[in-house]
Amino acid sequence: MSAPDVTGRVLRSSTVVVERGQVSAFATAVTDTSPVYRRPDAAAEAGFAGIPAPPTFTFAARLLAAYEELSPEQPPGAVDLTELIGELRAGGGLILHAEQEFTYHAPVLVGAVLTLTGVVEDVQVKTGRDDRRRTFVRVRSEFRDEAGELVVTEVMTLLHRS
């Protein structure tokens, strides 16, 4: 697949609801034992207005907290991230999660209803010394609260080696 085929592709939007059980389970999964992610009193003592989600929770939230009936109407041609990966792999090769960045503009708190949007920001194709083609796909996702305020920006780079 050539670079222009995916640059500018819009990802499907979704609405996620940050629930206490999900936050606690995620904290356990990433081996974070802090009571801040489990108890309102500990969160308040730490200065939070509610129980916060652990860092990187939003990356998983698109899979475990999305509610189809709450999600906005999809833009024409929007694709799911897994479909995008499938398109990249259609000709064979290997996909690696090469890099991930998180920018937090506000805490992600239990009870928040966030809308997720995303776009393929950039694609770079390079050929290595072994003549294998490496395609770097940079995807930007944004989580906004119900007032439309930016809460989290994620930038992920996928590497397709073929």
Side-chain angles (χ1 to χ4, degrees), residues 93-131:
L94 176 69
I95 297 281
L96 298 171
H97 184 182
E99 192 171 82
Q100 185 81 35
E101 300 171 27
F102 294 85
T103 303
Y104 294 90
H105 309 280
V108 176
L109 300 175
V110 165
V113 177
L114 305 174
T115 300
L116 165 64
T117 58
V119 65
V120 177
E121 222 176 32
D122 185 44
V123 177
Q124 293 183 21
V125 180
K126 299 177 182 183
T127 303
R129 286 178 267 170
D130 58 1
D131 289 329

PDB file of all heavy atoms in Angstrom, residues 93-131:
ATOM      1  N   GLY A  93       3.491  -9.004   5.435  1.00  0.00           N
ATOM      2  CA  GLY A  93       4.364  -8.209   6.289  1.00  0.00           C
ATOM      3  C   GLY A  93       3.971  -8.273   7.746  1.00  0.00           C
ATOM      4  O   GLY A  93       3.118  -9.053   8.158  1.00  0.00           O
ATOM      5  N   LEU A  94       4.606  -7.431   8.503  1.00  0.00           N
ATOM      6  CA  LEU A  94       4.473  -7.426   9.956  1.00  0.00           C
ATOM      7  C   LEU A  94       4.109  -6.024  10.424  1.00  0.00           C
ATOM      8  O   LEU A  94       4.663  -5.041   9.930  1.00  0.00           O
ATOM      9  CB  LEU A  94       5.823  -7.847  10.563  1.00  0.00           C
ATOM     10  CG  LEU A  94       5.981  -7.834  12.064  1.00  0.00           C
ATOM     11  CD1 LEU A  94       5.130  -8.931  12.694  1.00  0.00           C
ATOM     12  CD2 LEU A  94       7.454  -8.041  12.426  1.00  0.00           C
ATOM     13  N   ILE A  95       3.182  -5.920  11.369  1.00  0.00           N
ATOM     14  CA  ILE A  95       2.802  -4.635  11.958  1.00  0.00           C
ATOM     15  C   ILE A  95       3.335  -4.597  13.382  1.00  0.00           C
ATOM     16  O   ILE A  95       3.136  -5.533  14.160  1.00  0.00           O
ATOM     17  CB  ILE A  95       1.276  -4.449  12.013  1.00  0.00           C
ATOM     18  CG1 ILE A  95       0.676  -4.442  10.617  1.00  0.00           C
ATOM     19  CG2 ILE A  95       0.905  -3.186  12.775  1.00  0.00           C
ATOM     20  CD1 ILE A  95       0.809  -3.156   9.876  1.00  0.00           C
ATOM     21  N   LEU A  96       4.015  -3.518  13.721  1.00  0.00           N
ATOM     22  CA  LEU A  96       4.506  -3.310  15.078  1.00  0.00           C
ATOM     23  C   LEU A  96       3.959  -1.994  15.616  1.00  0.00           C
ATOM     24  O   LEU A  96       3.807  -1.026  14.869  1.00  0.00           O
ATOM     25  CB  LEU A  96       6.040  -3.242  15.094  1.00  0.00           C
ATOM     26  CG  LEU A  96       6.780  -4.482  14.623  1.00  0.00           C
ATOM     27  CD1 LEU A  96       8.260  -4.178  14.486  1.00  0.00           C
ATOM     28  CD2 LEU A  96       6.555  -5.616  15.584  1.00  0.00           C
ATOM     29  N   HIS A  97       3.672  -1.963  16.890  1.00  0.00           N
ATOM     30  CA  HIS A  97       3.297  -0.723  17.578  1.00  0.00           C
ATOM     31  C   HIS A  97       4.620  -0.067  17.941  1.00  0.00           C
ATOM     32  O   HIS A  97       5.254  -0.429  18.914  1.00  0.00           O
ATOM     33  CB  HIS A  97       2.464  -1.071  18.800  1.00  0.00           C
ATOM     34  CG  HIS A  97       1.941   0.103  19.533  1.00  0.00           C
ATOM     35  ND1 HIS A  97       1.208  -0.028  20.682  1.00  0.00           N
ATOM     36  CD2 HIS A  97       2.011   1.426  19.309  1.00  0.00           C
ATOM     37  CE1 HIS A  97       0.871   1.167  21.130  1.00  0.00           C
ATOM     38  NE2 HIS A  97       1.355   2.062  20.300  1.00  0.00           N
ATOM     39  N   ALA A  98       5.021   0.914  17.142  1.00  0.00           N
ATOM     40  CA  ALA A  98       6.371   1.448  17.260  1.00  0.00           C
ATOM     41  C   ALA A  98       6.521   2.508  18.345  1.00  0.00           C
ATOM     42  O   ALA A  98       7.563   2.598  18.977  1.00  0.00           O
ATOM     43  CB  ALA A  98       6.816   2.027  15.914  1.00  0.00           C
ATOM     44  N   GLU A  99       5.508   3.321  18.544  1.00  0.00           N
ATOM     45  CA  GLU A  99       5.645   4.447  19.460  1.00  0.00           C
ATOM     46  C   GLU A  99       4.263   4.908  19.912  1.00  0.00           C
ATOM     47  O   GLU A  99       3.291   4.777  19.177  1.00  0.00           O
ATOM     48  CB  GLU A  99       6.355   5.581  18.704  1.00  0.00           C
ATOM     49  CG  GLU A  99       6.834   6.719  19.549  1.00  0.00           C
ATOM     50  CD  GLU A  99       7.700   7.663  18.716  1.00  0.00           C
ATOM     51  OE1 GLU A  99       7.116   8.499  17.999  1.00  0.00           O
ATOM     52  OE2 GLU A  99       8.925   7.548  18.785  1.00  0.00           O
ATOM     53  N   GLN A 100       4.189   5.481  21.111  1.00  0.00           N
ATOM     54  CA  GLN A 100       2.925   6.013  21.636  1.00  0.00           C
ATOM     55  C   GLN A 100       3.222   7.207  22.507  1.00  0.00           C
ATOM     56  O   GLN A 100       4.111   7.153  23.347  1.00  0.00           O
ATOM     57  CB  GLN A 100       2.199   4.938  22.459  1.00  0.00           C
ATOM     58  CG  GLN A 100       0.846   5.340  22.954  1.00  0.00           C
ATOM     59  CD  GLN A 100      -0.230   5.195  21.902  1.00  0.00           C
ATOM     60  OE1 GLN A 100      -0.176   4.287  21.105  1.00  0.00           O
ATOM     61  NE2 GLN A 100      -1.193   6.078  21.919  1.00  0.00           N
ATOM     62  N   GLU A 101       2.491   8.296  22.289  1.00  0.00           N
ATOM     63  CA  GLU A 101       2.617   9.506  23.113  1.00  0.00           C
ATOM     64  C   GLU A 101       1.248   9.845  23.690  1.00  0.00           C
ATOM     65  O   GLU A 101       0.238   9.692  23.012  1.00  0.00           O
ATOM     66  CB  GLU A 101       3.044  10.707  22.261  1.00  0.00           C
ATOM     67  CG  GLU A 101       4.340  10.599  21.546  1.00  0.00           C
ATOM     68  CD  GLU A 101       4.534  11.760  20.578  1.00  0.00           C
ATOM     69  OE1 GLU A 101       3.967  12.859  20.796  1.00  0.00           O
ATOM     70  OE2 GLU A 101       5.244  11.569  19.588  1.00  0.00           O
ATOM     71  N   PHE A 102       1.237  10.332  24.917  1.00  0.00           N
ATOM     72  CA  PHE A 102       0.006  10.806  25.559  1.00  0.00           C
ATOM     73  C   PHE A 102       0.238  12.226  26.047  1.00  0.00           C
ATOM     74  O   PHE A 102       1.232  12.489  26.714  1.00  0.00           O
ATOM     75  CB  PHE A 102      -0.364   9.944  26.769  1.00  0.00           C
ATOM     76  CG  PHE A 102      -0.727   8.524  26.418  1.00  0.00           C
ATOM     77  CD1 PHE A 102       0.260   7.557  26.280  1.00  0.00           C
ATOM     78  CD2 PHE A 102      -2.051   8.164  26.245  1.00  0.00           C
ATOM     79  CE1 PHE A 102      -0.060   6.254  25.960  1.00  0.00           C
ATOM     80  CE2 PHE A 102      -2.387   6.850  25.927  1.00  0.00           C
ATOM     81  CZ  PHE A 102      -1.388   5.903  25.784  1.00  0.00           C
ATOM     82  N   THR A 103      -0.681  13.108  25.743  1.00  0.00           N
ATOM     83  CA  THR A 103      -0.661  14.466  26.291  1.00  0.00           C
ATOM     84  C   THR A 103      -1.971  14.647  27.047  1.00  0.00           C
ATOM     85  O   THR A 103      -3.059  14.531  26.454  1.00  0.00           O
ATOM     86  CB  THR A 103      -0.536  15.533  25.184  1.00  0.00           C
ATOM     87  OG1 THR A 103       0.640  15.265  24.429  1.00  0.00           O
ATOM     88  CG2 THR A 103      -0.455  16.927  25.783  1.00  0.00           C
ATOM     89  N   TYR A 104      -1.861  14.905  28.337  1.00  0.00           N
ATOM     90  CA  TYR A 104      -3.047  15.070  29.183  1.00  0.00           C
ATOM     91  C   TYR A 104      -3.319  16.556  29.368  1.00  0.00           C
ATOM     92  O   TYR A 104      -2.480  17.290  29.871  1.00  0.00           O
ATOM     93  CB  TYR A 104      -2.829  14.379  30.531  1.00  0.00           C
ATOM     94  CG  TYR A 104      -2.729  12.883  30.367  1.00  0.00           C
ATOM     95  CD1 TYR A 104      -1.505  12.265  30.154  1.00  0.00           C
ATOM     96  CD2 TYR A 104      -3.864  12.097  30.370  1.00  0.00           C
ATOM     97  CE1 TYR A 104      -1.405  10.906  29.956  1.00  0.00           C
ATOM     98  CE2 TYR A 104      -3.789  10.736  30.175  1.00  0.00           C
ATOM     99  CZ  TYR A 104      -2.558  10.144  29.968  1.00  0.00           C
ATOM    100  OH  TYR A 104      -2.478   8.790  29.761  1.00  0.00           O
ATOM    101  N   HIS A 105      -4.500  16.968  28.961  1.00  0.00           N
ATOM    102  CA  HIS A 105      -4.918  18.364  29.094  1.00  0.00           C
ATOM    103  C   HIS A 105      -5.769  18.542  30.349  1.00  0.00           C
ATOM    104  O   HIS A 105      -5.926  19.660  30.836  1.00  0.00           O
ATOM    105  CB  HIS A 105      -5.687  18.797  27.847  1.00  0.00           C
ATOM    106  CG  HIS A 105      -4.936  18.491  26.580  1.00  0.00           C
ATOM    107  ND1 HIS A 105      -3.919  19.282  26.101  1.00  0.00           N
ATOM    108  CD2 HIS A 105      -5.036  17.446  25.718  1.00  0.00           C
ATOM    109  CE1 HIS A 105      -3.443  18.752  24.981  1.00  0.00           C
ATOM    110  NE2 HIS A 105      -4.094  17.636  24.738  1.00  0.00           N
ATOM    111  N   ALA A 106      -6.335  17.452  30.834  1.00  0.00           N
ATOM    112  CA  ALA A 106      -7.143  17.427  32.054  1.00  0.00           C
ATOM    113  C   ALA A 106      -7.173  15.979  32.543  1.00  0.00           C
ATOM    114  O   ALA A 106      -6.954  15.054  31.754  1.00  0.00           O
ATOM    115  CB  ALA A 106      -8.562  17.922  31.770  1.00  0.00           C
ATOM    116  N   PRO A 107      -7.445  15.768  33.835  1.00  0.00           N
ATOM    117  CA  PRO A 107      -7.531  14.383  34.319  1.00  0.00           C
ATOM    118  C   PRO A 107      -8.729  13.655  33.700  1.00  0.00           C
ATOM    119  O   PRO A 107      -9.767  14.269  33.441  1.00  0.00           O
ATOM    120  CB  PRO A 107      -7.738  14.529  35.833  1.00  0.00           C
ATOM    121  CG  PRO A 107      -7.457  15.945  36.159  1.00  0.00           C
ATOM    122  CD  PRO A 107      -7.610  16.745  34.910  1.00  0.00           C
ATOM    123  N   VAL A 108      -8.570  12.374  33.476  1.00  0.00           N
ATOM    124  CA  VAL A 108      -9.667  11.512  33.034  1.00  0.00           C
ATOM    125  C   VAL A 108     -10.276  10.934  34.301  1.00  0.00           C
ATOM    126  O   VAL A 108      -9.627  10.159  35.001  1.00  0.00           O
ATOM    127  CB  VAL A 108      -9.160  10.394  32.099  1.00  0.00           C
ATOM    128  CG1 VAL A 108     -10.295   9.448  31.735  1.00  0.00           C
ATOM    129  CG2 VAL A 108      -8.508  10.990  30.857  1.00  0.00           C
ATOM    130  N   LEU A 109     -11.513  11.335  34.615  1.00  0.00           N
ATOM    131  CA  LEU A 109     -12.142  10.928  35.869  1.00  0.00           C
ATOM    132  C   LEU A 109     -13.302   9.968  35.634  1.00  0.00           C
ATOM    133  O   LEU A 109     -13.986  10.039  34.598  1.00  0.00           O
ATOM    134  CB  LEU A 109     -12.667  12.166  36.609  1.00  0.00           C
ATOM    135  CG  LEU A 109     -11.632  13.226  36.981  1.00  0.00           C
ATOM    136  CD1 LEU A 109     -12.319  14.433  37.600  1.00  0.00           C
ATOM    137  CD2 LEU A 109     -10.571  12.652  37.906  1.00  0.00           C
ATOM    138  N   VAL A 110     -13.519   9.091  36.614  1.00  0.00           N
ATOM    139  CA  VAL A 110     -14.673   8.198  36.576  1.00  0.00           C
ATOM    140  C   VAL A 110     -15.931   9.047  36.417  1.00  0.00           C
ATOM    141  O   VAL A 110     -16.081  10.081  37.061  1.00  0.00           O
ATOM    142  CB  VAL A 110     -14.726   7.344  37.863  1.00  0.00           C
ATOM    143  CG1 VAL A 110     -16.081   6.679  38.036  1.00  0.00           C
ATOM    144  CG2 VAL A 110     -13.609   6.310  37.852  1.00  0.00           C
ATOM    145  N   GLY A 111     -16.790   8.604  35.528  1.00  0.00           N
ATOM    146  CA  GLY A 111     -18.026   9.329  35.245  1.00  0.00           C
ATOM    147  C   GLY A 111     -17.948  10.180  33.993  1.00  0.00           C
ATOM    148  O   GLY A 111     -18.969  10.617  33.467  1.00  0.00           O
ATOM    149  N   ALA A 112     -16.744  10.400  33.507  1.00  0.00           N
ATOM    150  CA  ALA A 112     -16.584  11.214  32.296  1.00  0.00           C
ATOM    151  C   ALA A 112     -17.160  10.488  31.087  1.00  0.00           C
ATOM    152  O   ALA A 112     -17.081   9.267  30.971  1.00  0.00           O
ATOM    153  CB  ALA A 112     -15.112  11.534  32.060  1.00  0.00           C
ATOM    154  N   VAL A 113     -17.740  11.263  30.200  1.00  0.00           N
ATOM    155  CA  VAL A 113     -18.205  10.763  28.908  1.00  0.00           C
ATOM    156  C   VAL A 113     -17.357  11.492  27.876  1.00  0.00           C
ATOM    157  O   VAL A 113     -17.421  12.717  27.752  1.00  0.00           O
ATOM    158  CB  VAL A 113     -19.705  11.040  28.693  1.00  0.00           C
ATOM    159  CG1 VAL A 113     -20.146  10.578  27.312  1.00  0.00           C
ATOM    160  CG2 VAL A 113     -20.533  10.355  29.780  1.00  0.00           C
ATOM    161  N   LEU A 114     -16.530  10.726  27.169  1.00  0.00           N
ATOM    162  CA  LEU A 114     -15.555  11.311  26.254  1.00  0.00           C
ATOM    163  C   LEU A 114     -15.828  10.866  24.822  1.00  0.00           C
ATOM    164  O   LEU A 114     -16.163   9.710  24.581  1.00  0.00           O
ATOM    165  CB  LEU A 114     -14.137  10.886  26.642  1.00  0.00           C
ATOM    166  CG  LEU A 114     -13.704  11.169  28.078  1.00  0.00           C
ATOM    167  CD1 LEU A 114     -12.336  10.560  28.348  1.00  0.00           C
ATOM    168  CD2 LEU A 114     -13.704  12.665  28.349  1.00  0.00           C
ATOM    169  N   THR A 115     -15.655  11.789  23.892  1.00  0.00           N
ATOM    170  CA  THR A 115     -15.783  11.457  22.475  1.00  0.00           C
ATOM    171  C   THR A 115     -14.383  11.353  21.881  1.00  0.00           C
ATOM    172  O   THR A 115     -13.557  12.241  22.059  1.00  0.00           O
ATOM    173  CB  THR A 115     -16.609  12.519  21.724  1.00  0.00           C
ATOM    174  OG1 THR A 115     -17.913  12.564  22.311  1.00  0.00           O
ATOM    175  CG2 THR A 115     -16.740  12.180  20.250  1.00  0.00           C
ATOM    176  N   LEU A 116     -14.158  10.257  21.194  1.00  0.00           N
ATOM    177  CA  LEU A 116     -12.869   9.951  20.587  1.00  0.00           C
ATOM    178  C   LEU A 116     -12.956  10.162  19.081  1.00  0.00           C
ATOM    179  O   LEU A 116     -13.862   9.655  18.427  1.00  0.00           O
ATOM    180  CB  LEU A 116     -12.501   8.494  20.874  1.00  0.00           C
ATOM    181  CG  LEU A 116     -11.376   7.851  20.073  1.00  0.00           C
ATOM    182  CD1 LEU A 116     -10.050   8.537  20.335  1.00  0.00           C
ATOM    183  CD2 LEU A 116     -11.288   6.375  20.382  1.00  0.00           C
ATOM    184  N   THR A 117     -12.015  10.935  18.549  1.00  0.00           N
ATOM    185  CA  THR A 117     -11.877  11.099  17.106  1.00  0.00           C
ATOM    186  C   THR A 117     -10.426  10.830  16.753  1.00  0.00           C
ATOM    187  O   THR A 117      -9.540  10.931  17.605  1.00  0.00           O
ATOM    188  CB  THR A 117     -12.253  12.520  16.640  1.00  0.00           C
ATOM    189  OG1 THR A 117     -11.428  13.469  17.313  1.00  0.00           O
ATOM    190  CG2 THR A 117     -13.724  12.817  16.933  1.00  0.00           C
ATOM    191  N   GLY A 118     -10.171  10.495  15.491  1.00  0.00           N
ATOM    192  CA  GLY A 118      -8.797  10.229  15.095  1.00  0.00           C
ATOM    193  C   GLY A 118      -8.602  10.391  13.600  1.00  0.00           C
ATOM    194  O   GLY A 118      -9.556  10.357  12.814  1.00  0.00           O
ATOM    195  N   VAL A 119      -7.347  10.564  13.218  1.00  0.00           N
ATOM    196  CA  VAL A 119      -6.987  10.726  11.814  1.00  0.00           C
ATOM    197  C   VAL A 119      -5.567  10.201  11.599  1.00  0.00           C
ATOM    198  O   VAL A 119      -4.734  10.266  12.501  1.00  0.00           O
ATOM    199  CB  VAL A 119      -7.094  12.215  11.384  1.00  0.00           C
ATOM    200  CG1 VAL A 119      -6.082  13.085  12.114  1.00  0.00           C
ATOM    201  CG2 VAL A 119      -6.961  12.368   9.886  1.00  0.00           C
ATOM    202  N   VAL A 120      -5.334   9.663  10.410  1.00  0.00           N
ATOM    203  CA  VAL A 120      -3.976   9.285  10.032  1.00  0.00           C
ATOM    204  C   VAL A 120      -3.283  10.573   9.624  1.00  0.00           C
ATOM    205  O   VAL A 120      -3.597  11.172   8.611  1.00  0.00           O
ATOM    206  CB  VAL A 120      -3.955   8.262   8.882  1.00  0.00           C
ATOM    207  CG1 VAL A 120      -2.519   7.949   8.482  1.00  0.00           C
ATOM    208  CG2 VAL A 120      -4.693   6.999   9.279  1.00  0.00           C
ATOM    209  N   GLU A 121      -2.356  11.004  10.457  1.00  0.00           N
ATOM    210  CA  GLU A 121      -1.695  12.290  10.298  1.00  0.00           C
ATOM    211  C   GLU A 121      -0.577  12.278   9.261  1.00  0.00           C
ATOM    212  O   GLU A 121      -0.384  13.247   8.529  1.00  0.00           O
ATOM    213  CB  GLU A 121      -1.101  12.670  11.655  1.00  0.00           C
ATOM    214  CG  GLU A 121      -1.281  14.069  12.019  1.00  0.00           C
ATOM    215  CD  GLU A 121      -0.743  14.351  13.410  1.00  0.00           C
ATOM    216  OE1 GLU A 121       0.234  13.746  13.888  1.00  0.00           O
ATOM    217  OE2 GLU A 121      -1.335  15.229  14.013  1.00  0.00           O
ATOM    218  N   ASP A 122       0.167  11.193   9.229  1.00  0.00           N
ATOM    219  CA  ASP A 122       1.342  11.177   8.376  1.00  0.00           C
ATOM    220  C   ASP A 122       1.720   9.738   8.063  1.00  0.00           C
ATOM    221  O   ASP A 122       1.511   8.837   8.885  1.00  0.00           O
ATOM    222  CB  ASP A 122       2.518  11.866   9.093  1.00  0.00           C
ATOM    223  CG  ASP A 122       3.754  11.991   8.228  1.00  0.00           C
ATOM    224  OD1 ASP A 122       3.617  12.367   7.048  1.00  0.00           O
ATOM    225  OD2 ASP A 122       4.855  11.708   8.726  1.00  0.00           O
ATOM    226  N   VAL A 123       2.248   9.533   6.869  1.00  0.00           N
ATOM    227  CA  VAL A 123       2.764   8.235   6.468  1.00  0.00           C
ATOM    228  C   VAL A 123       4.117   8.463   5.806  1.00  0.00           C
ATOM    229  O   VAL A 123       4.239   9.333   4.942  1.00  0.00           O
ATOM    230  CB  VAL A 123       1.817   7.512   5.488  1.00  0.00           C
ATOM    231  CG1 VAL A 123       2.421   6.192   5.021  1.00  0.00           C
ATOM    232  CG2 VAL A 123       0.454   7.276   6.119  1.00  0.00           C
ATOM    233  N   GLN A 124       5.106   7.716   6.248  1.00  0.00           N
ATOM    234  CA  GLN A 124       6.434   7.794   5.639  1.00  0.00           C
ATOM    235  C   GLN A 124       6.863   6.386   5.246  1.00  0.00           C
ATOM    236  O   GLN A 124       6.735   5.455   6.045  1.00  0.00           O
ATOM    237  CB  GLN A 124       7.449   8.388   6.611  1.00  0.00           C
ATOM    238  CG  GLN A 124       7.189   9.833   6.942  1.00  0.00           C
ATOM    239  CD  GLN A 124       8.254  10.398   7.850  1.00  0.00           C
ATOM    240  OE1 GLN A 124       9.367   9.882   7.948  1.00  0.00           O
ATOM    241  NE2 GLN A 124       7.920  11.475   8.531  1.00  0.00           N
ATOM    242  N   VAL A 125       7.355   6.256   4.041  1.00  0.00           N
ATOM    243  CA  VAL A 125       7.827   4.973   3.549  1.00  0.00           C
ATOM    244  C   VAL A 125       9.336   5.070   3.365  1.00  0.00           C
ATOM    245  O   VAL A 125       9.832   5.998   2.734  1.00  0.00           O
ATOM    246  CB  VAL A 125       7.152   4.597   2.211  1.00  0.00           C
ATOM    247  CG1 VAL A 125       7.665   3.258   1.706  1.00  0.00           C
ATOM    248  CG2 VAL A 125       5.636   4.575   2.370  1.00  0.00           C
ATOM    249  N   LYS A 126      10.044   4.102   3.949  1.00  0.00           N
ATOM    250  CA  LYS A 126      11.505   4.069   3.851  1.00  0.00           C
ATOM    251  C   LYS A 126      11.928   2.661   3.452  1.00  0.00           C
ATOM    252  O   LYS A 126      11.257   1.689   3.788  1.00  0.00           O
ATOM    253  CB  LYS A 126      12.142   4.443   5.194  1.00  0.00           C
ATOM    254  CG  LYS A 126      11.771   5.843   5.661  1.00  0.00           C
ATOM    255  CD  LYS A 126      12.359   6.153   7.006  1.00  0.00           C
ATOM    256  CE  LYS A 126      11.904   7.555   7.424  1.00  0.00           C
ATOM    257  NZ  LYS A 126      12.488   7.960   8.681  1.00  0.00           N
ATOM    258  N   THR A 127      13.041   2.585   2.763  1.00  0.00           N
ATOM    259  CA  THR A 127      13.591   1.284   2.398  1.00  0.00           C
ATOM    260  C   THR A 127      14.875   1.085   3.179  1.00  0.00           C
ATOM    261  O   THR A 127      15.754   1.953   3.167  1.00  0.00           O
ATOM    262  CB  THR A 127      13.866   1.196   0.887  1.00  0.00           C
ATOM    263  OG1 THR A 127      12.644   1.453   0.198  1.00  0.00           O
ATOM    264  CG2 THR A 127      14.376  -0.181   0.501  1.00  0.00           C
ATOM    265  N   GLY A 128      14.960  -0.057   3.852  1.00  0.00           N
ATOM    266  CA  GLY A 128      16.146  -0.357   4.661  1.00  0.00           C
ATOM    267  C   GLY A 128      17.269  -0.921   3.827  1.00  0.00           C
ATOM    268  O   GLY A 128      17.117  -1.190   2.630  1.00  0.00           O
ATOM    269  N   ARG A 129      18.403  -1.112   4.465  1.00  0.00           N
ATOM    270  CA  ARG A 129      19.569  -1.692   3.780  1.00  0.00           C
ATOM    271  C   ARG A 129      19.281  -3.095   3.263  1.00  0.00           C
ATOM    272  O   ARG A 129      19.921  -3.568   2.339  1.00  0.00           O
ATOM    273  CB  ARG A 129      20.767  -1.718   4.718  1.00  0.00           C
ATOM    274  CG  ARG A 129      21.362  -0.329   4.931  1.00  0.00           C
ATOM    275  CD  ARG A 129      22.493  -0.393   5.900  1.00  0.00           C
ATOM    276  NE  ARG A 129      21.869  -0.119   7.204  1.00  0.00           N
ATOM    277  CZ  ARG A 129      22.431  -0.253   8.368  1.00  0.00           C
ATOM    278  NH1 ARG A 129      23.652  -0.687   8.455  1.00  0.00           N
ATOM    279  NH2 ARG A 129      21.793   0.025   9.476  1.00  0.00           N
ATOM    280  N   ASP A 130      18.301  -3.756   3.871  1.00  0.00           N
ATOM    281  CA  ASP A 130      17.934  -5.097   3.441  1.00  0.00           C
ATOM    282  C   ASP A 130      16.894  -5.076   2.316  1.00  0.00           C
ATOM    283  O   ASP A 130      16.332  -6.097   1.962  1.00  0.00           O
ATOM    284  CB  ASP A 130      17.408  -5.908   4.628  1.00  0.00           C
ATOM    285  CG  ASP A 130      16.199  -5.249   5.292  1.00  0.00           C
ATOM    286  OD1 ASP A 130      15.738  -4.176   4.831  1.00  0.00           O
ATOM    287  OD2 ASP A 130      15.708  -5.816   6.287  1.00  0.00           O
ATOM    288  N   ASP A 131      16.609  -3.884   1.780  1.00  0.00           N
ATOM    289  CA  ASP A 131      15.630  -3.663   0.709  1.00  0.00           C
ATOM    290  C   ASP A 131      14.189  -3.930   1.140  1.00  0.00           C
ATOM    291  O   ASP A 131      13.299  -3.987   0.308  1.00  0.00           O
ATOM    292  CB  ASP A 131      15.964  -4.483  -0.550  1.00  0.00           C
ATOM    293  CG  ASP A 131      17.183  -3.944  -1.273  1.00  0.00           C
ATOM    294  OD1 ASP A 131      17.419  -2.721  -1.209  1.00  0.00           O
ATOM    295  OD2 ASP A 131      17.896  -4.758  -1.887  1.00  0.00           O
TER     296      ASP A 131
END
